[in-house]
Amino acid sequence: MQVRRWLIVLQSVVLKFLFAILPLSFDRHRERFRNRTKDVILSTVLLVLYAIVGPIVCVELYVMNISGENQITNALSAFQFAFVYFFILIVQIIFIRKKACLHVLLNEMFQLKHVLERMVARSMLEFRLYTLFLVKVTAVDILMQLLALYTFEDSTYTGRVDSVGLASWLTFYAMMYFIAVIENFILVGVLIGAVMQGMVNIGLKQLARSRQGSAAGRQPSVLQLYMLHCKNEDMVKQFMETLNFPTLMLTGWYFFMIVYSVYYMYVYALEASFRGVRADEFKAYINPLVFFLYQCVQLYLLVLIPSVYTDHAKKMMRLLNYVSVNQYHHRPGQERLIEVLMVDCMQRNNAISNYGMYAMNRALLFGMIATMTSYLIILIQFHIQAYE
């Protein structure tokens, strides 16, 4: 396994950063989690501080941004502040309550990761999607946040920003970035499961192409590979079930914020066209545009990565048949075993769902786009009637 040094360092930094939101201690060198009392105490203290400071920041910002002309914008803004506050509060409570489950589950996940890396003689960093996601977390996320911070003043106030307003906005931007960190934590867990499933698929392909099956014990048997597939599937499903509620809230958050961002840009562009567009107003328009594009990327990843895992898992049936066809003449006794495994595989549901209400796949994205369009049309009609 030849992996570039900078990728190893990047993975260590990203995992340490993402797992810092948990009430667990992550050893990035051994890739193991420790369940320590002081981590729980620290998370609880920070949670209490956030529960006190969060409402003050949100109310301060809402009062400074309230509009006497556009009541729709006021309502959307109030919902945004309330959602951000309660989302972070609830997710942190869930992490503290389920720390024992996450501790066991994440350690088992990384243990299986090491087993599969040795089995296929490939590092997880050699898989393109996993590497791109690490780069996205470090480069894209940070650049987007810096660009949003650079343009936020002109898009929010007509006058100067005092120190209290600046501190409040910086705190709120940190709160919204924390939502992105929560999603990245969920996605990296599912992505690790997807890459591990890809490793199992590689192992089956190598077994099918081998003339001697699992000779000399150098290759795992088809049964061992299928059991690794089942274990990985159970861990991914349990991971998503543990974080069902945060995933549901994230889906609602991106639905709302994309609609709000487009509506805000429409109102801003309409008002600018009435009074005349000035050159210095383009900077103010960049802020909601950057925010809108970032929310679209996050929503796309929220449905893409579970879809990638499902696609890899669904290949198991075809690969079992591939092994059966290629190994039949060399190991005819395996035919009955593979038939049993294929029957079990047919009865499994590989799709990742949220509370069983909807599958996390690409079809969800198209459905959300259609619904967003309908809501935007309604909001724009209300805005037009208000102007008339």
Side-chain angles (χ1 to χ4, degrees):
M1 293 184 292
Q2 298 294 329
V3 182
R4 296 178 181 178
R5 178 65 181 174
W6 70 271
L7 283 176
I8 299 175
V9 174
L10 178 65
Q11 176 185 237
S12 300
V13 172
V14 170
L15 294 182
K16 183 71 174 180
F17 173 69
L18 293 181
F19 295 142
I21 65 176
L22 299 174
L24 300 170
S25 178
F26 178 66
D27 186 347
R28 60 188 178 93
H29 299 291
R30 298 175 56 211
E31 292 189 339
R32 299 287 295 177
F33 289 85
R34 290 178 293 173
N35 191 356
R36 302 184 302 183
T37 305
K38 68 176 185 179
D39 295 320
V40 180
I41 295 175
L42 178 60
S43 298
T44 305
V45 171
L46 293 176
L47 178 63
V48 173
L49 289 176
Y50 172 77
I52 298 172
V53 176
I56 299 174
V57 172
C58 293
V59 171
E60 172 74 15
L61 294 177
Y62 178 75
V63 170
M64 287 191 296
N65 286 275
I66 194 168
S67 172
E69 300 177 354
N70 195 334
Q71 298 302 320
I72 297 178
T73 303
N74 292 339
L76 294 175
S77 178
F79 183 83
Q80 176 191 11
F81 292 133
F83 189 98
V84 171
Y85 171 71
F86 285 109
F87 176 78
I88 297 176
L89 188 68
I90 293 172
V91 169
Q92 285 300 99
I93 293 173
I94 291 174
F95 284 157
I96 294 174
R97 286 184 61 250
K98 299 187 176 181
K99 65 180 181 63
C101 176
L102 289 171
H103 173 245
V104 175
L105 183 60
L106 291 172
N107 279 334
E108 289 180 352
M109 185 177 292
F110 277 97
Q111 183 178 0
L112 180 60
K113 167 180 173 288
H114 297 150
V115 171
L116 290 172
E117 286 179 334
R118 289 193 299 268
M119 182 189 75
V120 300
R122 292 183 64 181
S123 170
M124 190 168 286
L125 290 169
E126 297 180 45
F127 290 82
R128 183 176 180 82
L129 182 59
Y130 182 72
T131 304
L132 289 176
F133 183 78
L134 296 179
V135 174
K136 177 261 175 190
V137 171
T138 51
V140 177
D141 285 8
I142 294 176
L143 287 175
M144 288 294 225
Q145 296 300 321
L146 290 176
L147 184 58
L149 283 172
Y150 175 70
T151 58
F152 88 97
E153 179 177 345
D154 289 340
S155 65
T156 308
Y157 299 106
T158 56
R160 300 288 297 176
V161 181
D162 58 11
S163 58
V164 176
L166 179 61
S168 299
W169 269 113
L170 291 176
T171 304
F172 187 70
Y173 266 87
M175 291 163 62
M176 289 196 294
Y177 180 64
F178 190 78
I179 294 179
V181 174
I182 293 171
E183 182 192 355
N184 290 336
F185 162 68
I186 296 174
L187 291 181
V188 78
V190 180
L191 183 56
I192 289 174
V195 175
M196 290 194 297
Q197 183 60 50
M199 290 179 176
V200 173
N201 294 349
I202 291 173
L204 278 172
K205 291 177 183 178
Q206 293 174 347
L207 180 65
R209 294 165 183 167
S210 173
R211 289 287 181 179
Q212 298 177 345
S214 56
R218 288 177 296 179
Q219 286 183 320
S221 66
V222 63
L223 178 60
Q224 291 172 329
L225 287 168
Y226 187 76
M227 294 305 294
L228 290 174
H229 156 73
C230 295
K231 183 175 179 60
N232 181 57
E233 181 183 6
D234 291 341
M235 286 193 301
V236 172
K237 293 288 184 66
Q238 186 179 356
F239 180 78
M240 289 303 296
E241 288 174 1
T242 304
L243 301 173
N244 257 334
F245 192 72
T247 305
L248 178 64
M249 296 189 72
L250 278 171
T251 307
W253 164 253
Y254 290 121
F255 176 87
F256 167 75
M257 287 311 301
I258 291 175
V259 172
Y260 183 24
S261 299
V262 175
Y263 175 74
Y264 183 88
M265 288 188 292
Y266 158 77
V267 173
Y268 189 88
L270 184 64
E271 292 177 352
S273 64
F274 286 156
R275 66 173 180 267
V277 181
R278 301 191 306 270
D280 58 351
E281 289 184 335
F282 283 103
K283 179 183 173 183
Y285 197 77
I286 291 176
N287 183 273
L289 179 61
V290 169
F291 192 73
F292 164 73
L293 294 175
Y294 184 67
Q295 302 305 307
C296 291
V297 171
Q298 291 293 96
L299 177 61
Y300 178 69
L301 290 176
L302 189 63
V303 299
L304 172 67
I305 292 179
S307 298
V308 170
Y309 165 77
T310 303
D311 293 341
H312 285 330
K314 286 182 177 180
K315 292 179 181 178
M316 181 57 58
M317 175 67 72
R318 179 164 54 87
L319 290 172
L320 288 173
N321 184 63
Y322 183 50
V323 172
S324 177
V325 171
N326 285 270
Q327 291 291 324
Y328 175 73
H329 299 290
H330 308 289
R331 305 192 68 192
Q334 279 196 142
E335 183 179 6
R336 178 58 182 165
L337 171 63
I338 294 179
E339 288 179 358
V340 173
L341 297 181
M342 292 178 71
V343 170
D344 180 78
C345 187
M346 290 175 60
Q347 296 174 346
R348 289 179 172 268
N349 181 17
N350 304 122
I352 296 177
S353 64
N354 192 207
Y355 283 117
M357 295 186 297
Y358 53 87
M360 303 291 295
N361 53 29
R362 296 176 182 88
L364 173 64
L365 181 63
F366 291 107
M368 291 185 68
I369 291 174
T371 310
M372 289 175 191
T373 305
S374 301
Y375 273 88
L376 276 171
I377 293 173
I378 295 172
L379 286 175
I380 292 173
Q381 287 176 343
F382 274 114
H383 187 263
I384 293 174
Q385 289 178 357
Y387 263 85
E388 291 177 352

